[in-house]
């Protein structure tokens, strides 16, 4: 049983600007698990918002010792052990979860969606993200996104109206709007949400900082657009309290430690009446294809991290006109490119 890893610097096609940051490249770490003649892949995409970096991920990987386990099929035992190594480090833990699932799928020669009995026909269409930019660049991005039927728009700086009005001059496609905690007062958030209500917006994601839970609850009571929590929800244990402030949650494999916990979160959210969205970080086809395996269980799909980059080192589940094409390839369904 051998684990090895390698850093890749993903190049964004456009500067990726959200309310709290802007970047042109995104480092990720690909984890390779070799056992019994099978090579399996996982991925960690670190977010400083959650305290991770390439360094913390590599340090975490060096602490893992899987030799104590008799079988890689005992994924529940293995992931409990991996989770116990340290607090946090969710993207690093996710890489291990993905590699184990990929290995099991390859060993059984079955794609994960099929192993879980999920019907690809139930998967919602995937949105395409337009990050914050100038009018001219936004126009260019809208043209480039022509094939995608739903747009997700980043807001939360001082040009929200300009962003939306620029888009609305070109297209009437449904919009998901993500403020990434950018509106700092309840009054500002309410004014923004009320304006967006008339713009064919489906929902607003993370309007205010996660720490302002009472303000978000107040916002929900005073407006009509559904609110989706993203930065407010990291793992399974966050879900029960969220139904008081949100209509749905954005699950990300990098926040929640991977597919196994994501599946538990989906069922828990369904039980509390929350809608389920799955999002992503800037990621390669490895993590995007992993998320896509669960897409038939989602209400909203936002797995476009690898279509925003120009140098994906893997080939996997393809996104064609917003449809994630679940193929018959075993495990995560990914292959490294030469
Ligand atoms: Mg978000």
């Amino acid at each position: 049983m051998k684990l090895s890893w390698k850093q890749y610097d993903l190049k964004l096609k456009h500067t990726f600007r959200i309310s709290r940051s802007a970047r042109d490249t995104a480092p990720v770490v690909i984890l390779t698990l070799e056992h019994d003649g099978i090579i399996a892949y996982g991925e960690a995409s670190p977010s400083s918002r959650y305290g991770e970096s390439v360094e913390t991920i590599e340090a975490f990987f060096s602490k893992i010792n899987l030799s104590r386990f008799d079988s890689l099929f005992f994924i529940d035992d293995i992931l409990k052990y991996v989770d116990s190594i340290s607090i946090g480090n969710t993207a690093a833990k996710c890489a291990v979860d993905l590699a184990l699932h990929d290995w099991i799928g390859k060993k059984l020669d079955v794609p994960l969606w099929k192993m879980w009995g999920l019907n690809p026909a139930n998967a919602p269409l995937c949105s395409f993200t337009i990050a914050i930019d100038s009018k001219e660049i936004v126009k260019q991005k809208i043209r480039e996104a022509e094939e995608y039927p739903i747009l997700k728009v980043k807001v939360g700086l001082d040009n929200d109206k300009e962003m939306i009005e620029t888009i609305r001059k070109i297209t009437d496609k449904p919009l998901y709007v993500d403020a990434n905690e950018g509106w700092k007062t309840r009054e500002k958030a309410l004014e923004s949400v009320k304006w967006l209500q008339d713009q064919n917006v489906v929902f607003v994601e993370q309007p205010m900082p996660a720490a302002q839970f009472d303000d978000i609850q107040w916002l929900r009571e005073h407006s009509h657009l559904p609110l989706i929590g993203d930065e407010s929800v990291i793992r399974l244990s966050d879900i029960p309290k969220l139904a008081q402030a949100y209509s749905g949650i954005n699950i990300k494999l990098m926040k929640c430690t991977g597919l196994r916990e994501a599946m538990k979160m989906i069922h828990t959210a369904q039980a509390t009446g929350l809608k389920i969205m799955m999002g992503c970080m800037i990621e390669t086809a490895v993590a995007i294809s992993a998320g896509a395996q669960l897409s038939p269980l989602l209400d909203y799909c936002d797995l476009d991290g690898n279509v925003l980059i120009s140098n994906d080192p893997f080939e996997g589940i393809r996104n064609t006109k917003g449809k994630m094409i679940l193929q018959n390839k075993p495990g995560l369904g990914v292959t490294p490119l030469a």
Side-chain angles (χ1 to χ4, degrees):
M1 216 177 291
K2 188 181 152 216
L3 285 180
S4 57
W5 51 89
K6 186 178 170 196
Q7 178 183 339
Y8 290 86
D9 290 309
L10 306 182
K11 290 192 186 91
L12 284 144
K13 292 176 185 165
H14 291 282
T15 300
F16 194 77
R17 187 182 310 279
I18 64 170
S19 66
R20 63 173 163 264
S21 62
R23 54 189 184 158
D24 294 296
T25 59
V28 297
V29 185
I30 297 292
L31 182 70
T32 303
L33 164 66
E34 293 179 69
H35 180 60
D36 212 5
I38 290 169
I39 301 176
Y41 300 100
E43 176 174 0
S45 175
S47 165
S48 56
R49 170 67 175 74
Y50 304 105
E52 290 190 272
S53 63
V54 167
E55 291 70 33
T56 64
I57 286 166
E58 292 183 335
F60 186 87
F61 289 163
S62 352
K63 291 181 196 158
I64 301 170
N65 177 7
L66 298 184
S67 63
R68 65 175 77 190
F69 299 100
D70 296 333
S71 165
L72 291 187
F73 282 100
F74 298 152
I75 196 164
D76 207 41
D77 292 349
I78 300 173
L79 292 178
K80 268 183 197 149
Y81 151 72
V82 169
D83 203 14
S84 74
I85 293 176
S86 66
I87 296 168
N89 292 108
T90 57
K93 291 170 183 174
C94 171
V96 183
D97 168 286
L98 301 194
L100 286 169
H101 279 95
D102 193 33
W103 189 90
I104 288 171
K106 284 172 171 163
K107 183 76 179 165
L108 298 175
D109 196 25
V110 68
L112 296 173
W113 58 268
K114 201 174 253 186
M115 190 169 87
W116 291 326
L118 304 178
N119 180 356
N122 294 333
L125 289 170
C126 183
S127 53
F128 180 87
T129 302
I130 307 289
I132 301 173
D133 229 310
S134 68
K135 259 185 180 176
E136 282 318 301
I137 303 286
V138 168
K139 280 184 196 165
Q140 187 191 332
K141 286 179 177 176
I142 299 300
R143 286 193 291 270
E144 287 170 12
E146 203 180 353
E147 72 166 291
Y148 301 102
I150 304 165
L151 301 176
K152 170 163 151 168
V153 187
K154 296 286 194 180
V155 298
L157 290 182
D158 52 8
N159 66 337
D160 295 357
K161 280 193 182 176
E162 183 187 279
M163 286 277 300
I164 302 292
E165 281 168 353
T166 303
I167 294 167
R168 279 290 170 250
K169 275 183 195 150
I170 306 172
T171 175
D172 58 1
K173 286 175 187 175
L175 302 181
Y176 300 164
V177 170
D178 187 359
N180 284 108
E181 310 182 292
W183 302 323
K184 304 300 182 193
T185 66
R186 49 163 78 174
E187 292 75 21
K188 167 69 187 164
L190 182 61
E191 183 201 323
S192 303
V193 170
K194 284 205 159 160
W195 184 77
L196 289 168
Q197 279 172 188
D198 302 323
Q199 305 292 327
N200 191 19
V201 167
V202 180
F203 60 74
V204 173
E205 199 180 318
Q206 201 64 44
M208 278 182 281
Q212 289 170 232
F213 190 76
D214 294 346
D215 287 334
I216 298 169
Q217 220 174 337
W218 177 89
L219 177 65
R220 187 192 194 188
E221 284 158 17
H222 289 80
S223 57
H224 303 301
L225 271 183
L227 303 179
I228 306 284
D230 179 357
E231 286 85 347
S232 285
V233 55
I234 299 174
R235 298 192 58 173
L236 179 64
S237 57
D238 295 317
I239 294 180
K241 67 172 190 293
L242 290 178
Q244 301 160 31
Y246 289 104
S247 302
I249 56 167
N250 185 349
I251 298 170
K252 289 180 183 161
L253 296 176
M254 296 299 154
K255 291 188 296 182
C256 78
T257 73
L259 290 164
R260 195 161 180 88
E261 181 139 334
M263 183 75 96
K264 292 180 192 173
M265 290 176 80
I266 288 170
H267 295 314
T268 306
Q270 281 170 340
T272 51
L274 287 159
K275 294 272 190 198
I276 297 143
M277 172 177 187
M278 180 168 276
C280 59
M281 306 296 183
I282 302 301
E283 298 166 356
T284 75
V286 173
I288 294 298
S289 301
Q293 303 291 328
L294 288 171
S295 58
L297 291 172
L298 308 178
D299 296 295
Y300 310 113
C301 177
D302 182 34
L303 295 172
D304 65 344
N306 70 331
V307 293
L308 302 175
I309 59 173
S310 59
N311 61 339
D312 193 337
F314 281 82
E315 189 175 66
I317 304 295
R318 280 197 335 275
N319 178 337
T320 305
K321 297 180 180 172
K323 182 139 190 62
M324 304 299 282
I325 312 292
L326 293 172
Q327 301 147 308
N328 255 320
K329 286 188 184 167
L332 303 179
V334 298
T335 318
L337 296 168

